[in-house]
Amino acid sequence: MVKTYNIGLDIGTNSIGWAVVDDQNHLMSIKGKYGYGVRLYDEGKTAEERRSFRTTRRRLKRRKWRLGLLREIFESQITPLDNTFFLRQKQSSLSSKDNRKLYPEMSLFNDRTDTDFYAQYPTIYHLRRDLMTKNKQFDIREIYLATHHIVKYRGHFLNESPVSSFKSSEIKLAENFETLNQIFSERFNESMFQLAVNDFDDLKALLLNDQQSASNRQKKA
């Protein structure tokens, strides 16, 4: 086109309107048609939906990891008492008529029925309350079930308080490291693992350095 022309655009989230006009704002003819129109397209979407799927997969993976560790802690104490306890727990979601269920007549315990247990503890929270408030020797399997519920549905630890409300001066690395070393020596003495208890000032400065990424600080620590 040899004539002077102007193009006007109206850009929206899911459409673009356009018009071709001359210097007097009159529509110009292009190949026998007035030069104006609109193009429609799908509105842009964020990655929120895909991100939620990734978050769910990560959450379930971590839950499975936590419950695996919990079983390792209790297994040596429960297996001598009830060697099919964990198998029955794994198959508890199966119907009693399912041929894959090896112990259809039992579920939680091998020495009492589920009906008796639920009559005493209608919900898991009744059991958790008794474990916290009653001074008596509980069945190790009851302790496991309550702990399993806490570890599995741990809630969230999100704190809406601003970062400025946390005082970094209250970080007591020396005291906490000594406590951890005592735990390591008592429970994992065969590993001979101990945390270094010197250079706390340098370590504290490193951990509080917001100019470095968390991964870099972790590697240096």
Side-chain angles (χ1 to χ4, degrees), residues 162 186 207 209:
E186 292 175 355
L207 296 177
N209 185 359

Side-chain angles (χ1 to χ4, degrees), residues 35-108:
Y36 68 92
V38 65
R39 293 292 182 268
L40 303 177
Y41 49 86
D42 293 334
E43 185 175 355
K45 298 181 180 179
T46 66
E48 181 179 1
E49 183 178 3
R50 294 305 313 165
R51 185 166 59 248
S52 66
F53 292 146
R54 290 196 301 272
T55 302
T56 300
R57 288 197 301 270
R58 188 182 304 116
R59 177 174 56 82
L60 294 178
K61 182 178 180 180
R62 290 174 178 173
R63 174 193 290 180
K64 184 177 180 180
W65 174 75
R66 292 195 309 272
L67 296 179
L69 290 179
L70 180 67
R71 174 170 173 171
E72 288 182 13
I73 295 172
F74 279 86
E75 193 165 18
S76 61
Q77 303 296 322
I78 294 179
T79 300
L81 175 67
D82 184 354
N83 61 355
T84 60
F85 174 76
F86 292 105
L87 176 60
R88 295 199 310 275
Q89 183 192 30
K90 184 177 181 180
Q91 296 185 343
S92 61
S93 60
L94 299 179
S95 169
S96 57
K97 299 180 181 179
D98 195 318
N99 294 329
R100 294 173 297 172
K101 195 163 188 175
L102 300 180
Y103 302 94
E105 71 282 359
M106 297 182 295
S107 181
L108 292 175

